Amino acid sequence: MPDLQPFRPEIIKLGGSLIGHPRLRDLLAALARRGAPLLLVAGGGPLADAVRALQPVLSLSDAACHRMAILAMEQTAHAFADLCRNSQSLGLALADSSAAMEEAQAQGRAALWLPARMALAATDLPESWDLTSDSLAAWLAEKTGALRLTLVKSTPAPVGSTPADWAAEGLVDPLFPAFAARLACPVGVTTAEAFLAAPTQGEIAA
């Protein structure tokens, strides 16, 4: 797949664990108000967990579960967009392609990635549970030449820690350090509370 440049977003990955967060609506509304050049990636959350639980019941292959987990991310993205529909902003623009991302950028809107179209067509993504939405966010950051990648988690990363440390602690998937190493942009971890307290995107990365 060719790179999607010159579109260069600031990518924010919203962990699936945030689905039960009491300030999820506030977070989504804040992101929508910030608008372009934000590009949001939603985790699969409980929908992806359901795929994981179903695998041994039906003896599903890792390849099938990889595709189903990506579709879980897509469903979460639709849910996040719906939660933000009444915010005092232009809302979040669903985007499944570089053209849709660029259109959102032109409108000044934050884009919310629908991953199925791009990720299911990719040949450089392992079909394994070792790859989760965190690595997919890093993969997208590489493809778009992102200016920054920030992972919003329920748990903060220790100050001065690295992607390898995050993987060792189970904060990200095992493949994330390799994907992050390909990026020329800053990579950080924050929490929803820290994000909401930060006046600018440049102040939120760990």
Side-chain angles (χ1 to χ4, degrees), residues 24-169:
L24 175 60
R25 289 179 184 271
D26 293 337
L27 176 61
L28 293 171
L31 292 165
R33 286 194 298 271
R34 292 192 185 187
L38 297 187
L39 174 58
L40 312 182
V41 176
L47 295 169
D49 291 341
V51 175
R52 192 186 294 269
L54 191 62
Q55 183 174 23
V57 175
L58 297 181
S59 299
L60 298 174
S61 66
D62 283 349
C65 290
H66 169 77
R67 295 188 289 271
M68 293 166 70
I70 288 173
L71 292 172
M73 291 173 60
E74 186 133 336
Q75 292 178 73
T76 303
H78 280 288
F80 283 178
D82 192 65
L83 287 173
C84 198
R85 69 189 184 281
N86 294 323
S87 67
Q88 295 180 341
S89 67
L90 294 174
L92 299 171
L94 293 168
D96 66 353
S97 66
S98 59
M101 295 172 193
E102 290 166 0
E103 181 177 356
Q105 170 95 355
Q107 295 172 351
R109 301 175 67 188
L112 180 54
W113 188 40
L114 296 178
R117 179 177 178 181
M118 294 169 59
L120 293 180
T123 58
D124 56 345
L125 292 173
E127 296 178 334
S128 164
W129 284 113
D130 285 343
L131 179 138
T132 69
S133 52
D134 289 330
S135 282
L136 281 168
W139 176 83
L140 183 64
E142 180 186 13
K143 296 300 180 184
T144 58
L147 299 173
R148 179 186 296 272
L149 170 61
T150 303
L151 309 179
V152 183
K153 298 277 188 179
S154 297
T155 304
V159 175
S161 59
T162 67
D165 297 325
W166 307 339
E169 294 297 322

